[in-house]
């Protein structure tokens, strides 16, 4: 009787173990089935990252071109004002303009130094902005590379003794990994805003330069005009 009971229990146990093992193997097979979807999601995300990097480089290149245009226009205004004063000097008595030469040399030297100061401040601030942007991209790329579907095999799940919970986890596994990484579009938008702010600061620096330069040019011109009137 005991032998029959033992054999009966053994048969039940074998049936249960067989079912458990079957669930475990099915769990692995299920994971294998979703690998193509995982690869596709991974590729899409990587491509999005590279496209965003290219867009960022395009925005940076556009920023550089606009900045050079701003500097060129400012230089033309300064040079035109300088030439206008020199042309005026050619139309009056020499002694009424000679003293202005030193003043003109002084203000043009100051303007040259101011241009260097403006661009140095801009370059330092842009270097920081670009570094922060690439750091965010690097963090996103690191998260993509670290994303692993093998996490379903980590503890506390046990594929031998408790495969049911693991199978359930696999069935609910989220293949779309974009929620786990930074929004690359947000990074680009933030980068563009930073570039715009830095360019505004540079424009203000050039405007300040232009105002001081023009005021000094007008002062020198008035000095000569007063000299002419006294003759």
């Amino acid at each position: 009787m005991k032998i029959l009971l033992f054999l009966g229990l053994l048969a039940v146990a074998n049936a249960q173990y067989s079912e458990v093992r079957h669930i475990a193997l099915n769990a692995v097979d299920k994971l294998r089935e979703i690998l193509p979807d995982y690869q596709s999601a991974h590729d899409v995300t990587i491509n999005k990252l590279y496209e965003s990097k290219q867009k960022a480089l395009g925005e940076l290149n556009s920023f550089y071109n606009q900045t050079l245009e701003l500097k060129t226009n400012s230089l033309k205004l300064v040079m035109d004002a300088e030439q206008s004063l020199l042309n005026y000097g050619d139309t009056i008595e020499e002694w009424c303009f000679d003293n202005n030469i030193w003043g003109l040399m002084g203000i043009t030297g100051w303007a040259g130094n101011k241009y260097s100061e403006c661009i140095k401040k801009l370059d330092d601030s842009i270097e920081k902005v670009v570094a922060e942007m690439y750091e965010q991209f690097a963090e996103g790329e690191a998260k993509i590379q670290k994303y692993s579907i093998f996490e379903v095999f980590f503890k506390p799940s046990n594929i031998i003794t408790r495969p049911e919970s693991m199978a359930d986890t696999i069935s609910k596994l989220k293949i779309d990994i974009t929620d786990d990484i930074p929004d690359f579009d947000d990074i680009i938008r933030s980068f563009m805003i930073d570039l715009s702010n830095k360019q505004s600061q540079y424009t203000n620096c050039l405007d300040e330069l232009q105002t001081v330069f023009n005021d000094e040019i007008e002062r020198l011109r008035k000095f000569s005009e007063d000299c002419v009137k006294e003759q």
Side-chain angles (χ1 to χ4, degrees):
M1 183 66 180
K2 290 183 178 180
I3 294 176
L4 291 176
L5 179 60
F6 173 75
L7 291 175
L9 292 174
L10 183 60
V12 172
N14 282 334
Q16 291 177 340
Y17 284 141
S18 177
E19 181 180 357
V20 169
R21 301 299 182 265
H22 182 69
I23 293 174
L25 292 175
N26 282 346
V28 176
D29 288 339
K30 179 62 177 178
L31 196 59
R32 184 181 292 110
E33 289 174 4
I34 65 176
L35 279 178
D37 292 334
Y38 166 77
Q39 181 63 49
S40 177
H42 187 276
D43 290 345
V44 168
T45 308
I46 285 291
N47 288 337
K48 179 65 175 177
L49 170 63
Y50 291 151
E51 289 173 3
S52 297
K53 284 184 176 181
Q54 286 297 114
K55 185 174 181 180
L57 287 175
E59 294 295 339
L60 186 59
N61 186 61
S62 177
F63 167 82
Y64 285 143
N65 281 323
Q66 292 172 10
T67 300
L68 291 175
E69 185 69 17
L70 288 172
K71 184 164 187 174
T72 297
N73 292 337
S74 179
L75 283 169
K76 287 180 179 179
L77 291 174
V78 166
M79 292 176 181
D80 287 347
E82 178 189 27
Q83 189 60 51
S84 176
L85 182 61
L86 289 172
N87 291 341
Y88 170 72
D90 289 338
T91 65
I92 62 176
E93 289 82 354
E94 184 176 332
W95 58 82
C96 282
F97 192 75
D98 282 350
N99 289 335
N100 283 349
I101 297 299
W102 297 107
L104 185 59
M105 290 175 62
I107 190 60
T108 52
W110 173 87
N113 291 332
K114 186 66 174 178
Y115 276 121
S116 297
E117 177 186 323
C118 290
I119 202 68
K120 181 64 168 60
K121 287 182 178 179
L122 177 65
D123 187 59
D124 289 344
S125 61
I126 289 301
E127 182 179 359
K128 181 179 180 181
V129 168
V130 172
E132 290 175 349
M133 176 197 65
Y134 277 115
E135 182 178 349
Q136 292 180 70
F137 279 136
E139 290 175 357
E141 187 167 12
K143 288 184 178 180
I144 295 172
Q145 300 299 338
K146 289 181 180 179
Y147 189 87
S148 174
I149 61 174
F150 291 148
E151 290 180 2
V152 296
F153 294 129
F154 298 168
K155 292 181 178 180
S157 298
N158 188 310
I159 196 168
I160 298 297
T161 61
R162 290 188 301 165
E164 297 88 355
S165 61
M166 187 175 297
D168 183 62
T169 300
I170 292 174
S171 67
K172 298 176 181 178
L173 190 64
K174 182 172 67 67
I175 297 301
D176 184 7
I177 65 177
T178 55
D179 290 341
D180 300 320
I181 60 176
D183 187 323
F184 297 134
D185 289 335
D186 281 347
I187 294 176
I188 296 296
R189 282 191 289 269
S190 178
F191 180 58
M192 292 174 64
I193 291 173
D194 287 339
L195 290 181
S196 178
N197 290 337
K198 299 307 179 185
Q199 194 163 80
S200 294
Q201 294 173 11
Y202 180 66
T203 299
N204 291 337
C205 191
L206 294 181
D207 289 344
E208 177 186 336
L209 181 157
Q210 193 70 53
T211 298
V212 173
F213 188 85
N214 288 343
D215 288 347
E216 182 61 13
I217 291 294
E218 286 303 311
R219 187 189 70 79
L220 294 174
R221 179 186 291 271
K222 188 175 186 308
F223 176 84
S224 292
E225 289 174 345
D226 291 344
C227 175
V228 171
K229 291 177 182 178
E230 292 174 359
Q231 301 306 311

